[in-house]
Amino acid sequence: ANGTAYIVMELLSGETLEERLKRVGMLGPADVDKILLPLLEGLEQVHSAGFLHRDIKPANILLNAQGNPTLIDFGASRAAMAGRTTAMTAIFTPGYAAAEQMTSAKQGPYTDIYGLSATLYHAIAGRAPPGAFDRMLNDSYEPLAKMAPPKFAPGVCAGIDAGLAVIASERPQTIADWRPLLGMDVAS
């Protein structure tokens, strides 16, 4: 209308995961499960539509009063088309960005898996993992599986660790590949 484009979005209220983590420090297993399952489903839909979010971090997850998540801020989102030849712009948040986001390397669903893994790591460990670039130079990453946070399923910890592999080809390539590693073989 009026010679311009508009985006109409749902009005949401709540606090970001970043705000929640500043307030409470860390999340327990039930709270992590409550955000993980819907985010997996949402990302799977985004990826199946041929897009990537590319900036998953605690500040871009809005939690409503019941703790249900909504992934927000698709400002960095780009089409993730097979065989893409043009370089994507470098938009990332250190600590949550995959190594390929800092180079001209191809990006894919595995890029968002890294961002969500880093976000979940922060929620469980109480701090973001070291940045991917720093890890390429001197990997000081402490795996969640080694930390063994109390009451967390070993699969969730191992799956998050797998999602934080610095080399993209060593990460789960799709949400469907990642679910079994997280111990979540079927969508809820």
Side-chain angles (χ1 to χ4, degrees), residues 43-67:
L43 271 179
E44 210 160 29
Q45 290 177 17
V46 168
H47 295 161
S48 69
F51 288 88
L52 301 173
H53 187 281
R54 299 192 324 138
D55 195 21
I56 300 173
K57 58 187 177 185
N60 285 341
I61 297 172
L62 189 65
L63 303 171
N64 68 13
Q66 294 76 38

Side-chain angles (χ1 to χ4, degrees), residues 30-42:
D31 290 326
V32 168
D33 285 348
K34 191 167 192 164
I35 64 171
L36 176 57
L37 297 173
L39 290 174
L40 290 176
E41 291 171 7

Side-chain angles (χ1 to χ4, degrees), residues 1-2 22-23 29 36 54-55 60 73-74 81 88 97 101 119 122 125 135 148 155 158 163 176-177:
N2 300 319
K22 284 179 181 173
R23 190 169 46 80
L36 176 57
R54 299 192 324 138
D55 195 21
N60 285 341
D73 192 359
F74 279 77
M81 305 191 191
M88 291 189 182
Q101 289 180 262
T119 297
H122 185 168
R135 292 180 61 204
D177 293 340

